[in-house]
Amino acid sequence: DTGVSQNPRHKITKRGQNVTFRCDPISEHNRLYWYRQTLGQGPEFLTYFQNEAQLEKSRLLSDRFSAERPKGSFSTLEIQRTEQGDSAMYLCASSPTGGAGEKLFFGSGTQLSVL
Amino acid sequence: GQQVMQIPQYQHVQEGEDFTTYCNSSTTLSNIQWYKQRPGGHPVFLIQLVKSGEVKKQKRLTFQFGEAKKNSSLHITATQTTDVGTYFCAGNSGNTPLVFGKGTRLSVIA
């Protein structure tokens, strides 16, 4: 068990560029979540997957954001035409089955800075 | 939608003093979880409460879930410098994704 892995750890990009982040959940974990965290705030839910199916997307999530989990293992989060307001820590978390009340295992996150 | 509020936002204590953070939900929760995030780190699960009025202890940490399942608290007795970090509560109703509070950042002065 190597934990949840996220790459890259840091990403600096210019406004208007596209970025993609990757998350490798704990092996055999069926549920995968993406959260976003800004300084002084708690993690804010973005979207989640049960295996390869994307079950819910936050209403706050712009159409510039898209996430995939093609084979039910790793996931990618893409942000198109980045804006300065997208600067944040993007956290991935996984849980074994997605059952009610399961604890989340978080990765170390990808820190995005949009200049 | 569901909202989870935490107070205080910050707490500075002398080492050895007690600390309490409070969490309130706008809706009745199925369960509430508590996470700790060290400076520069990621949230790490501490505990889950499920039953109305439930109290759980982990060494110097005491967690409570309110009778109405809409509020919770975390109390740390005799804080230590290792307790420094931000404590988040997070709750959900049924099988919905966890909604996190903004957290309480604890500083401990040695």
Side-chain angles (χ1 to χ4, degrees), chain A residues 35 37 41 98 101-102 104, chain B residues 33 35 37 48 95 98 102:
Chain A
Y35 281 83
Q37 187 177 27
Q41 302 294 314
E102 275 189 341
L104 302 186
Chain B
Q33 299 181 13
Y35 290 77
Q37 186 172 25
Q48 176 187 253
N95 203 17
L98 280 174
K102 291 187 176 182

Side-chain angles (χ1 to χ4, degrees), chain A residues 11 18-19 31 39 42 55 58 88 108 110:
Chain A
K11 179 69 178 178
N18 299 342
V19 294
R31 184 66 68 92
L39 202 62
L55 297 187
S58 169
S108 297
T110 294

Side-chain angles (χ1 to χ4, degrees), chain A residues 9 31 33 35 37 40-45 48 56 59 89 91 98-109, chain B residues 1 9-10 30-31 33 35 37 40-45 48 88 92 94-103 105:
Chain A
R9 289 295 305 276
R31 184 66 68 92
Y33 300 83
Y35 281 83
Q37 187 177 27
Q41 302 294 314
E44 175 191 28
F45 168 74
Y48 78 102
E56 187 175 337
R59 288 174 294 171
M89 174 73 80
L91 292 165
E102 275 189 341
K103 68 180 182 181
L104 302 186
F105 295 82
F106 281 89
S108 297
Chain B
Q9 190 174 359
Y10 304 97
S30 301
N31 76 97
Q33 299 181 13
Y35 290 77
Q37 186 172 25
H42 57 274
V44 175
F45 174 84
Q48 176 187 253
F88 294 100
N92 61 1
N95 203 17
T96 58
L98 280 174
V99 175
F100 283 78
K102 291 187 176 182
R105 191 162 79 185

Side-chain angles (χ1 to χ4, degrees), chain A residues 27-104:
Chain A
S27 180
E28 307 296 329
H29 276 196
N30 294 332
R31 184 66 68 92
L32 186 149
Y33 300 83
W34 285 99
Y35 281 83
R36 175 172 63 190
Q37 187 177 27
T38 53
L39 202 62
Q41 302 294 314
E44 175 191 28
F45 168 74
L46 296 179
T47 188
Y48 78 102
F49 293 84
Q50 181 73 27
N51 299 312
E52 65 273 11
Q54 187 173 17
L55 297 187
E56 187 175 337
K57 196 173 172 180
S58 169
R59 288 174 294 171
L60 301 175
L61 204 59
S62 159
D63 289 342
R64 298 182 295 103
F65 288 69
S66 62
E68 294 183 337
R69 195 183 183 195
K71 298 182 180 178
S73 56
F74 73 91
S75 175
T76 58
L77 177 68
E78 180 183 17
I79 309 174
Q80 295 182 326
R81 304 181 304 281
T82 52
E83 302 172 356
Q84 288 185 326
D86 297 331
S87 296
M89 174 73 80
Y90 289 83
L91 292 165
C92 176
S94 69
S95 66
T97 65
E102 275 189 341
K103 68 180 182 181
L104 302 186

Side-chain angles (χ1 to χ4, degrees), chain A residues 12-32:
Chain A
I12 300 173
T13 190
K14 292 183 179 179
R15 188 176 53 190
Q17 298 293 306
N18 299 342
V19 294
T20 300
F21 310 140
R22 176 176 170 129
C23 171
D24 288 88
I26 293 172
S27 180
E28 307 296 329
H29 276 196
N30 294 332
R31 184 66 68 92
L32 186 149

